[in-house]
Amino acid sequence: MSFKEKLILDKIPRHIAIIMDGNGRWAAQFGNERTFGHEHGVESVRSVVEGAGEIGVKYLTLYAFSTENWGRPVEEVNALMSLLVQAISNETDELMKSNVRMQVIGDVKSLPEHVQEKLNWSINKLQNNTGLTLVLALSYSSKWEITEAIRQIAADCKSGIVDPANINSELIDSYMNTSGMPDPELLIRTSGECRVSNFLLWQIAYTELYFTPKLWPDFRKEDLFEAIFDYQHRERRFGKTSQQVVS
Ligand code: FPP
């Protein structure tokens, strides 16, 4: 029986976040350049987006390019940007057929203009879809996002739009790039690294973490279903006792 068949259908996470890691190591296994790993990583993205849509996940957030990734060799950064544009060009029709919407979180303005244009083209095309929302984290880091939110809240306090006495968790949520999305119930990281690497730090306060040794280019929808199966058999207590949760 496949993991997909074993899933409890009324317990599918609404929001899954993935740190796609291990492309470079995957390429090195074959004596290839890191970019070769990123290219194959796109096939994993396709499979996972398809799988998430099939089982009714509402949001899938992929860490595609971090603020820190700008520090990689310029050839690799350029290759990643080209790959992104190419993937969006090639996949938007299929995303349309699958009723997928797209959204971006991160410092979009820091991306090359042609990348921004391609992203906007795809986002606009897919905007009326009602199925899965694919959220691409690009030039994203959580500390950047939180800093920007604090800056904006401070500005709104100064201009009288926000009363400091009214700052609470919900208000902070509304200043995040993820405003309007549920927090992820499940965060997956591939390649055996057990870190969260500046990803959605505010949003993952109660998220279940799942680490797999699989390298990203080897990850497929069946691996996603396995991660969800694992998640479904955990007890989420949110600070309460086991008895309170069960009763
Ligand atoms: C991490 O592997 C992966 C990345 C920094 C980039 C992920 C990008 C893609 C899969 C392609 C484009 C994405 C979309 C959404 C179309 P790594 O390079 O850090 O690998 P390593 O840890 O083995 O060096």
Side-chain angles (χ1 to χ4, degrees):
M1 200 172 166
S2 70
F3 281 106
K4 187 180 180 186
E5 289 163 323
K6 286 195 220 165
L7 293 179
I8 305 162
L9 293 177
D10 61 3
K11 230 178 141 184
I12 300 292
R14 282 172 308 165
H15 186 173
I16 299 175
I18 306 185
I19 302 177
M20 311 180 285
D21 196 11
N23 294 351
R25 277 164 282 168
W26 187 88
Q29 287 176 351
F30 305 99
N32 263 308
E33 299 280 327
R34 304 174 52 75
T35 313
F36 182 69
H38 298 317
E39 283 164 15
H40 281 265
V42 175
E43 286 163 37
S44 308
V45 171
R46 189 180 302 125
S47 175
V48 163
V49 170
E50 226 176 72
E54 282 168 20
I55 57 169
V57 173
K58 293 310 291 176
Y59 294 89
L60 177 69
T61 300
L62 302 180
Y63 207 1
F65 193 85
S66 71
T67 309
E68 291 76 16
N69 287 153
W70 288 115
R72 291 196 176 195
V74 67
E75 303 79 38
E76 184 174 347
V77 170
N78 290 342
L80 276 167
M81 293 298 151
S82 303
L83 202 56
L84 187 65
V85 168
Q86 199 188 317
I88 292 171
S89 299
N90 294 343
E91 305 295 335
T92 297
D93 282 350
E94 199 53 46
L95 294 174
M96 190 72 197
K97 279 189 212 144
S98 313
N99 197 21
V100 174
R101 272 197 312 167
M102 193 158 77
Q103 209 171 313
V104 176
I105 58 170
D107 187 10
V108 183
K109 289 192 183 71
S110 69
L111 297 169
E113 214 145 284
H114 75 284
V115 177
Q116 292 185 44
E117 280 165 16
K118 189 51 87 177
L119 284 166
N120 286 335
W121 167 79
S122 183
I123 290 169
N124 285 338
K125 218 169 159 166
L126 304 174
Q127 66 181 339
N128 294 325
N129 289 344
T130 54
L132 171 73
T133 300
L134 170 62
V135 184
L136 298 180
L138 290 167
S139 194
Y140 175 87
S141 80
S142 201
K143 288 198 173 186
W144 167 83
E145 179 188 38
I146 293 169
T147 307
E148 287 303 310
I150 291 172
R151 198 195 310 280
Q152 196 53 53
I153 292 170
D156 287 349
C157 284
K158 201 173 169 192
S159 60
I161 299 172
V162 172
D163 178 350
N166 293 336
I167 296 176
N168 57 20
S169 178
E170 287 72 36
L171 181 122
I172 297 172
D173 277 340
S174 73
Y175 280 80
M176 292 290 168
N177 285 194
T178 50
S179 170
M181 300 180 201
D183 285 341
E185 292 94 336
L186 174 64
L187 169 67
I188 299 170
R189 181 173 188 149
T190 58
S191 92
E193 308 289 349
C194 300
R195 293 187 288 277
V196 290
S197 296
N198 217 348
F199 191 42
L200 302 173
L201 300 181
W202 171 262
Q203 296 86 345
I204 61 169
Y206 279 100
T207 299
E208 296 295 326
L209 308 181
Y210 179 89
F211 299 105
T212 167
K214 269 215 176 165
L215 303 175
W216 179 250
D218 287 328
F219 198 87
R220 290 291 179 274
K221 57 173 132 174
E222 188 59 19
D223 301 298
L224 176 74
F225 300 145
E226 182 173 0
I228 299 172
F229 178 81
D230 186 280
Y231 156 85
Q232 290 187 332
H233 293 83
R234 295 185 190 186
E235 183 185 68
R236 305 188 77 207
R237 292 203 297 271
F238 302 98
K240 296 188 174 164
T241 66
S242 192
Q243 265 175 332
Q244 285 175 305
V245 175
V246 172
S247 59

